[in-house]
Amino acid sequence: MANHKSALKRIRQTETRKLRNRYYAKTARNAVRKLRATTEKTAATELLPKVSSMLDKLAKRRIIHKNKAGNLKSKLTLHVNKLA
């Protein structure tokens, strides 16, 4: 166990951040799943900017890697463009 006050505080901060990051990452994953499951073009085009923005924010905060965010956005854009 930690011996210093600062180390104890760091443990508390890390735990709080971990939970928050997990929540945001899970929310983004669910949004991606929802967009992939969408079969209507209009609904998908409305949802795409929101999901892209969410992924960009996660990448900016380094919750997910920037390349992963880019790959997901690319795949989702292709999916939306293929819809009739």
Side-chain angles (χ1 to χ4, degrees), residues 14-28:
T14 304
E15 186 62 29
T16 305
R17 288 190 184 121
K18 185 176 83 174
L19 291 173
R20 191 179 305 133
N21 289 344
R22 252 176 46 196
Y23 167 77
Y24 287 129
K26 184 69 174 176
T27 305

Side-chain angles (χ1 to χ4, degrees), residues 27-45:
T27 305
R29 275 199 305 273
N30 286 336
V32 168
R33 278 194 203 107
K34 184 178 177 186
L35 181 56
R36 281 193 181 131
T38 306
T39 54
E40 295 178 21
K41 178 89 169 174
T42 54
T45 51

Side-chain angles (χ1 to χ4, degrees), residues 2-68:
N3 292 321
H4 298 283
K5 263 186 140 178
S6 60
L8 292 169
K9 181 178 179 182
R10 178 60 65 195
I11 290 167
R12 290 195 308 270
Q13 285 178 330
T14 304
E15 186 62 29
T16 305
R17 288 190 184 121
K18 185 176 83 174
L19 291 173
R20 191 179 305 133
N21 289 344
R22 252 176 46 196
Y23 167 77
Y24 287 129
K26 184 69 174 176
T27 305
R29 275 199 305 273
N30 286 336
V32 168
R33 278 194 203 107
K34 184 178 177 186
L35 181 56
R36 281 193 181 131
T38 306
T39 54
E40 295 178 21
K41 178 89 169 174
T42 54
T45 51
E46 285 178 22
L47 206 55
L48 183 64
K50 294 174 186 172
V51 174
S52 293
S53 170
M54 195 182 295
L55 292 170
D56 284 336
K57 284 176 188 171
L58 289 178
K60 182 177 153 190
R61 294 191 213 132
R62 294 188 181 152
I63 295 169
I64 61 172
H65 197 273
K66 63 178 182 176
N67 290 349
K68 181 178 176 73

